[in-house]
Amino acid sequence: MDKFVIAGNGPLSGVIEASGAKNAALPILCASLLSDEPLHVTNVPKLWDINTTRKLLLQMGCTVEEPAAHELVVNARSITTCVAPYELVRTMRASILVLGPLVAARGEAHVSLPGGCAIGARPVDLHLMGLEAMGAEIKLEGGFIHAKAKRLKGARIVFDTVTVTGTENLMMAAVLAEGETVLENAAREPEVVDLARCLRAMGARLSGEGTTTIRVQGVDKLHAATHRVLPDRIETGTYLLAGAITRGRVRIEKTDPSLLDAVLVKLQQAGAKLATGVDFIEVDMQNKRPLAVNIHTMPHPGFPTDMQAQMMALNCVSEGVSVVKETIFENRFMHALELQRLGAEIRIEGNTAVVTGKERLQAAPIMATDLRASASLVLAALAAEGETFIDRIYHMDRGYENIEGKLAALGAKIKRVNKLI
């Protein structure tokens, strides 16, 4: 099992490029199931989760070609099964996104419940509620969701809580449903908007993406299309924070500043000097210690939960005391215990963390617990004195393409090594 070895090396400096957004690419690849014609997707990041989705599509009988780096062409014409097995779904919760397209285009779906999900934390019940409202027959048996429908019918669906994957799943299902579907309290995330753009390129009729109400007029079929995945705002934000936490100057190109408004505001509050253009963001801490900033995660356009762990790492070395409140997911402070091993002063009270900044952290062996926690630990290690060993970095490979290469290009001392057993 690989691990990272990171040595604190002073301010990072340089220019790197953002990759395509994982959280946009995954539903877009699943949207290929809606048509018998090829979907050509560009700016696809090279990640474990993308490879898992590719395997899932292949085992269903789709053809998946790679005409160039960061490009995939998926054709579902030859699909042979509507089963998404536990062996693949358990490694990636986003696999649930095949449910809506399969029922809409193929009339049935047999999708394993995501690993660790008991229709409770991060529930899929909103997905099922929406499909039932559209006329699907749903059964839960043997750890699988079994869904059937001759043709889905348009419906008005009101989400009890904002759900990104639920919005995406039902939006995809609705594009082939008979009549109009209205999704109320829909997620507004940029990745939802990007999926809508792709669906529209395939011939779907929909409007309102980026607002709380999405309207979809069902069509009989979709056609071939080409779509470029938007830049990854979470990856971009993570590298900007790498510059900030090391008191350096980092420029991210091939990105979109409009995707990170809430994060950029917090960086400015932390004392960073920002410069932005149409496709770049630059952060410059001018070798100054950052200031502590309070964080309250919210659905878009609020501060993203996927940046909470990274911002907590910045607060650990900031001047002052900060309050970090997590309102989206429970159990998303697991990184705090590992940050404490580096000497961070963090007090957890329910869904709130109080962080007292320290001038420096100290290197120690630590362990990643999930994708974004992994990123926070890498950031903290960059700002720690000494050599930090980070175990279980396979989490990182799910969402960050060549993170060690990109950080090394900024001057970081980071290397991937094999764990000795």
Side-chain angles (χ1 to χ4, degrees):
M1 189 180 296
D2 291 355
K3 65 170 62 177
F4 279 149
V5 182
I6 301 174
N9 189 39
L12 297 186
S13 178
V15 180
I16 56 176
E17 295 180 354
S19 298
K22 172 184 82 87
N23 289 338
L26 296 177
I28 286 169
L29 290 173
C30 293
S32 65
L33 295 168
L34 290 164
S35 175
D36 283 339
E37 298 183 22
L39 176 61
H40 186 179
V41 188
T42 66
N43 201 33
V44 180
K46 290 184 177 296
L47 303 169
W48 275 18
D49 279 6
I50 296 296
N51 193 44
T52 298
T53 302
R54 182 176 183 165
K55 289 179 180 177
L56 182 56
L57 293 170
L58 286 170
Q59 75 88 31
M60 288 181 181
C62 299
T63 61
V64 184
E65 299 175 354
E66 190 174 357
H70 299 99
E71 295 188 19
L72 292 175
V73 178
V74 186
N75 194 328
R77 177 186 293 274
S78 57
I79 189 170
T80 56
T81 179
C82 293
V83 177
Y86 177 68
E87 291 72 27
L88 290 173
V89 174
R90 70 181 176 86
T91 65
M92 186 185 68
R93 303 183 68 91
S95 299
I96 193 69
L97 287 167
V98 302
L99 179 63
L102 284 174
V103 177
R106 313 294 164 176
E108 64 175 331
H110 306 280
V111 180
S112 172
L113 285 166
C117 180
I119 316 294
R122 301 183 72 176
V124 297
D125 57 339
L126 297 179
H127 304 234
L128 307 186
M129 173 273 295
L131 288 174
E132 285 183 322
M134 298 170 73
E137 179 185 337
I138 306 288
K139 292 183 180 179
L140 300 178
E141 294 178 345
F144 273 78
I145 302 166
H146 301 273
K148 286 188 177 182
K150 288 185 178 180
R151 186 180 183 185
L152 296 173
K153 307 289 185 180
R156 180 174 179 268
I157 299 166
V158 181
F159 294 108
D160 291 341
T161 59
V162 177
T163 164
V164 174
T165 53
T167 299
E168 292 167 340
N169 229 340
L170 297 181
M171 187 165 64
M172 287 190 282
V175 298
L176 293 179
E178 182 181 346
E180 182 181 65
T181 299
V182 180
L183 304 178
E184 299 278 9
N185 197 26
R188 302 165 61 186
E189 271 67 9
E191 294 78 17
V192 174
V193 175
D194 204 35
L195 173 61
R197 292 181 185 135
C198 178
L199 293 172
R200 191 175 292 113
M202 297 171 70
R205 297 173 58 199
L206 70 166
S207 62
E209 68 274 12
T211 75
T212 57
T213 302
I214 299 175
R215 295 182 179 274
V216 185
Q217 301 288 339
V219 298
D220 290 334
K221 64 178 182 178
L222 300 183
H223 52 67
T226 298
H227 180 79
R228 180 178 176 82
V229 175
L230 88 171
D232 195 317
R233 62 192 172 109
I234 305 304
E235 183 206 41
T236 297
T238 299
Y239 291 129
L240 291 174
L241 284 177
I245 201 170
T246 60
R247 309 183 188 185
R249 181 176 182 177
V250 169
R251 181 183 176 106
I252 315 297
E253 297 185 337
K254 293 188 178 180
T255 190
D256 183 350
S258 69
L259 302 177
L260 288 110
D261 287 342
V263 174
L264 297 184
V265 167
K266 291 302 176 182
L267 276 168
Q268 287 180 316
Q269 290 176 3
K273 180 181 178 181
L274 296 178
T276 61
V278 174
D279 64 351
F280 77 87
I281 308 171
E282 182 176 282
V283 61
D284 186 359
M285 285 303 299
Q286 302 175 301
N287 206 29
K288 296 178 182 178
R289 184 182 178 188
L291 304 175
V293 293
N294 295 330
I295 300 297
H296 187 130
T297 64
M298 294 286 288
H300 192 79
F303 191 88
T305 181
D306 280 353
M307 285 298 301
Q308 176 259 108
Q310 299 92 308
M311 188 60 74
M312 183 183 290
L314 181 70
N315 278 331
C316 288
V317 296
S318 294
E319 183 180 338
V321 178
S322 59
V323 176
V324 179
K325 189 171 184 179
E326 175 59 57
T327 68
I328 308 298
F329 294 129
E330 70 282 5
N331 271 338
R332 208 156 200 189
F333 284 155
M334 291 187 288
H335 50 281
L337 296 177
E338 299 301 310
L339 291 171
Q340 287 171 345
R341 288 178 54 80
L342 298 174
E345 190 173 330
I346 305 170
R347 186 175 78 255
I348 305 295
E349 300 174 355
N351 68 340
T352 301
V354 180
V355 184
T356 302
K358 303 185 71 171
E359 180 73 25
R360 293 289 180 190
L361 299 177
Q362 299 295 323
I366 51 180
M367 181 178 69
T369 54
D370 60 60
L371 172 55
R372 303 310 171 186
S374 303
S376 75
L377 300 184
V378 168
L379 296 184
L382 292 170
E385 293 182 345
E387 198 170 63
T388 299
F389 289 76
I390 307 179
D391 211 345
R392 293 191 179 179
I393 62 170
Y394 58 83
H395 291 291
M396 186 72 65
D397 296 326
R398 291 185 48 230
Y400 290 90
E401 179 180 349
N402 188 27
I403 187 170
E404 64 267 39
K406 291 188 177 185
L407 287 174
L410 299 174
K413 286 190 175 181
I414 176 173
K415 60 182 177 180
R416 182 184 294 251
V417 300
N418 291 110
K419 181 179 179 181
L420 299 177
I421 299 176

